[in-house]
């Protein structure tokens, strides 16, 4: 499920097909500047005893729609971003009007964003393997 618009806070968008995933990424590409990121959670994974998900997958699309950012985090693995050379010192993506800064992020082409989201959703919430990951610097 995905949250990237105000109406998704109470009713997250169900991503149940490749078509739905493409539609979500397309919506991020054309969204206004305050809605360029989505928070995804898999319904196929176990919840923590607190009732919260044991993982979070963040997906952001740049203002021009050509690049994006990915962040995958779990309690076991910590917060991960794509491996590679940083494209900027800091990138700020808006998630439902809230800014989220990524330090030294390697932004990836939007087609990689699409592949990673599809892999996340279709694998039951596993960390995508279509790209390499590294710890997110803080």
């Amino acid at each position: 499920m995905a949250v990237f618009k105000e109406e998704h806070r109470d009713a997250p968008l169900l991503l149940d097909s490749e078509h739905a995933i493409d539609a979500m990424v397309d919506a991020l590409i054309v969204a206004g500047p305050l809605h360029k990121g989505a928070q995804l959670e898999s319904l196929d994974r176990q919840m923590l005893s607190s009732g919260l998900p044991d993982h979070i997958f963040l997906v952001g699309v740049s203002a021009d729609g050509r690049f994006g950012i990915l962040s995958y985090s779990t309690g076991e693995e910590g917060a991960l971003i794509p491996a590679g050379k940083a494209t900027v010192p800091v990138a700020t993506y808006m998630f439902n009007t809230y800014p989220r800064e990524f330090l030294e992020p390697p932004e990836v082409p939007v087609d990689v964003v699409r592949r990673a989201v599809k892999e996340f959703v279709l694998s039951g919430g596993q960390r995508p393997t279509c790209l390499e990951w590294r710890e997110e610097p803080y």
Side-chain angles (χ1 to χ4, degrees):
M1 65 181 180
V3 174
F4 63 96
K5 292 182 180 177
E6 190 65 37
E7 65 259 24
H8 298 145
R9 288 183 195 221
D10 294 326
L13 179 67
L14 185 60
L15 300 175
D16 57 358
S17 69
E18 289 191 28
H19 176 72
I21 294 163
D22 283 331
M24 183 207 67
V25 174
D26 291 342
L28 291 176
I29 290 170
V30 300
L34 298 179
H35 300 282
K36 298 303 272 184
Q39 177 175 316
L40 281 63
E41 299 168 8
S42 174
L43 298 175
D44 295 330
R45 291 181 61 122
Q46 294 285 333
M47 299 295 265
L48 298 172
S49 59
S50 65
L52 296 173
D54 71 341
H55 66 291
I56 300 233
F57 189 44
L58 298 177
V59 178
V61 175
S62 64
D64 65 8
R66 294 177 41 223
F67 297 96
I69 190 68
L70 299 165
S71 172
Y72 182 84
S73 58
T74 68
E76 297 88 36
E77 295 183 279
L80 304 172
I81 58 174
K85 184 177 179 184
T87 52
V88 293
V90 177
T92 302
Y93 283 80
M94 300 298 284
F95 291 85
N96 250 341
T97 72
Y98 295 100
R100 166 70 155 80
E101 290 186 340
F102 295 89
L103 303 177
E104 303 172 18
E107 293 173 296
V108 297
V110 76
D111 66 312
V112 174
V113 170
R114 284 182 197 279
R115 283 196 318 259
V117 173
K118 288 175 183 177
E119 187 174 343
F120 171 79
V121 170
L122 300 175
S123 72
Q126 298 302 306
R127 179 171 41 91
T129 59
C130 63
L131 68 155
E132 297 203 21
W133 298 87
R134 68 173 167 97
E135 286 186 36
E136 182 177 355
Y138 290 100

